[in-house]
């Protein structure tokens, strides 16, 4: 069973950089079938796709966050990470990592496995 | 870019049927996926490829799509169905994932 687990500071000061790591177990992060994804949910609001990374290191970002965002991957540790710079209180959210099935011989594009989520609060 | 529109809230009595819709330009050409999200839990995939159910999802939950509107139907509503439901599309040409705004399903 694939498991994803987020880790990182739960409190970040405004203007600083939010950093989170997702640890993957039960499946290979080196698989060419998946995009490793970050998704967030601000309090009382819906899900927002942040971006995803392929095992090769290719990244694709939400245009609204692209200028502040870096997603990286460490296949040797079976982890991928998120860095969001210059945060404001609007970046307060539950951040989740998830696995997107991207290559399946047809049109794929859904998330079967998710982490439990990490609440990150940005203080002013 | 593609925007997915969902009704913010739906209320249904136990035993009845709930129909949750997800509309968007050009989703007729894309696969729509649905998630059930309960507080404090990870979202759960309940429908993929418009109408397929993952193993373990009861057949009370079904999906369909007609034109630019996808529908998640939950029949014989139970208290445990109360949750937020999100539709999602992957625009693989633009490498963008889009979520609908979500529908809060309340069981009366």
């Amino acid at each position: 069973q694939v498991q994803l687990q987020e880790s990182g500071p739960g409190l970040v000061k405004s203007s600083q950089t939010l950093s989170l790591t997702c640890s993957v177990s039960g499946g290979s992060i080196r698989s060419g079938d998946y995009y490793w994804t970050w998704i967030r949910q601000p309090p009382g609001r819906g899900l927002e796709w942040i971006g995803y990374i392929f095992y090769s290191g290719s990244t694709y970002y939400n245009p609204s966050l692209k200028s502040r965002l870096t997603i990286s991957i460490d296949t040797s540790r079976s982890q991928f990470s998120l860095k969001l710079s210059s945060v404001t209180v609007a970046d307060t959210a539950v951040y989740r990592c998830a696995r997107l099935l991207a290559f399946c011989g047809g049109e794929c594009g859904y998330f079967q496995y998710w982490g439990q989520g990490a609440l990150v609060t940005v203080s002013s | 870019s593609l925007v997915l529109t969902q009704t913010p809230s739906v209320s249904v009595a136990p035993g009845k049927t709930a129909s949750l819709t997800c509309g968007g330009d050009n989703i007729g050409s894309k696969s729509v996926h649905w998630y059930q999200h309960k507080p404090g839990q990870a979202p759960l995939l309940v429908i993929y490829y418009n109408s397929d159910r993952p193993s373990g999802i009861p057949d009370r939950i079904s999906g369909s799509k007609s034109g630019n509107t996808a529908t998640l139907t939950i029949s014989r509503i139970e208290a445990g169905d109360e949750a937020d439901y999100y539709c999602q599309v992957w625009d693989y040409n633009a490498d963008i994932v889009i979520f609908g705004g979500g529908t809060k399903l309340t069981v009366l």
Side-chain angles (χ1 to χ4, degrees), chain A residues 84-100:
Chain A
L84 185 65
S85 64
S86 305
V87 296
T88 70
V89 294
D91 294 308
T92 294
V94 173
Y95 287 76
R96 284 191 173 88
C97 52
R99 190 182 82 171
L100 177 79

Side-chain angles (χ1 to χ4, degrees), chain A residues 4-90:
Chain A
L4 298 95
Q5 179 66 57
E6 305 88 353
S7 60
L11 184 63
V12 181
K13 292 184 178 179
S14 182
S15 80
Q16 295 190 341
T17 297
L18 179 160
S19 297
L20 291 171
T21 295
C22 181
S23 299
V24 179
S25 60
S28 176
I29 201 171
R30 295 187 179 90
S31 171
D33 293 337
Y34 307 108
Y35 282 133
W36 302 96
T37 306
W38 288 100
I39 293 160
R40 71 180 182 179
Q41 183 176 26
R45 301 185 63 180
L47 301 172
E48 180 183 27
W49 173 71
I50 297 172
Y52 53 52
I53 188 166
F54 197 49
Y55 78 97
S56 63
S58 298
T59 52
Y60 304 89
Y61 297 153
N62 186 323
S64 68
L65 298 170
K66 187 174 183 177
S67 63
R68 301 190 290 132
L69 185 60
T70 301
I71 297 177
S72 59
I73 193 165
D74 185 341
T75 56
S76 66
R77 293 188 170 190
S78 201
Q79 294 178 334
F80 63 105
S81 298
L82 163 74
K83 291 188 185 298
L84 185 65
S85 64
S86 305
V87 296
T88 70
V89 294

